[in-house]
């Protein structure tokens, strides 16, 4: 009987440990991944890279004119224009320090879509 009790107790202990550590998982995961889709001639792309450099935030820049694979990934986001910044699941078109900081402070989680208010007959 004691041999069967030990594995059950171990499973319960591990489950409790996982439940206690789950709220801390985002903090343990580290900063969100930052990707920037750019072109060589874009001044706002240069400003975007300078912003992340000044904050000491690691990023990967993809030149969509020189890298066909990066261009295909860029097109899948359905955006037009550069820079296109992806912080975790948050997609930010253009240069916006406020949006960059909002996405970074949220850990790269995209904001939920706002429900549309409908008035009158549809």
């Amino acid at each position: 009987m004691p041999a069967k009790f030990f594995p059950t107790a171990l499973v319960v202990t591990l489950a409790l440990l996982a439940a206690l550590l789950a709220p801390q998982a985002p903090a343990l995961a580290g900063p969100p991944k930052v990707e920037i889709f750019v072109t060589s001639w874009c001044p706002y792309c240069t400003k975007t890279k300078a912003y992340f450099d000044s904050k000491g935030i690691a990023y990967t820049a993809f030149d969509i004119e020189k890298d066909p694979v990066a261009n295909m990934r860029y097109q899948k986001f359905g955006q037009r224009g550069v820079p296109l910044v992806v912080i975790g699941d948050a997609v930010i078109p253009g240069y916006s320090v406020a949006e960059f900081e909002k996405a970074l402070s949220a850990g790269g989680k995209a904001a939920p879509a706002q429900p549309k208010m409908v008035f009158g007959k549809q």
Side-chain angles (χ1 to χ4, degrees), residues 29-98:
K33 181 177 172 183
V34 177
E35 297 178 311
I36 308 170
F37 294 88
V38 300
T39 59
S40 60
W41 49 265
C42 167
Y44 285 102
C45 298
T46 304
K47 282 182 73 167
T48 299
K49 291 190 286 185
Y51 167 80
F52 286 105
D53 287 337
S54 73
K55 296 291 185 180
I57 298 169
Y59 62 87
T60 305
F62 300 99
D63 190 321
I64 62 170
E65 292 181 326
K66 295 178 182 170
D67 183 349
V69 175
N71 193 343
M72 288 190 320
R73 286 187 58 222
Y74 164 80
Q75 290 178 9
K76 287 183 181 179
F77 288 106
Q79 300 292 325
R80 296 177 58 136
V82 287
L84 179 68
V85 180
V86 181
I87 302 173
D89 346 336
V91 178
I92 304 162
Y95 177 81
S96 173
V97 170

Side-chain angles (χ1 to χ4, degrees), residues 2 5 7 10-11 21 28 31 41 53 59 87 95 108 114:
F5 177 74
L10 181 62
V11 169
L21 292 177
L28 297 175
W41 49 265
D53 287 337
Y59 62 87
I87 302 173
Y95 177 81
Q114 296 295 322

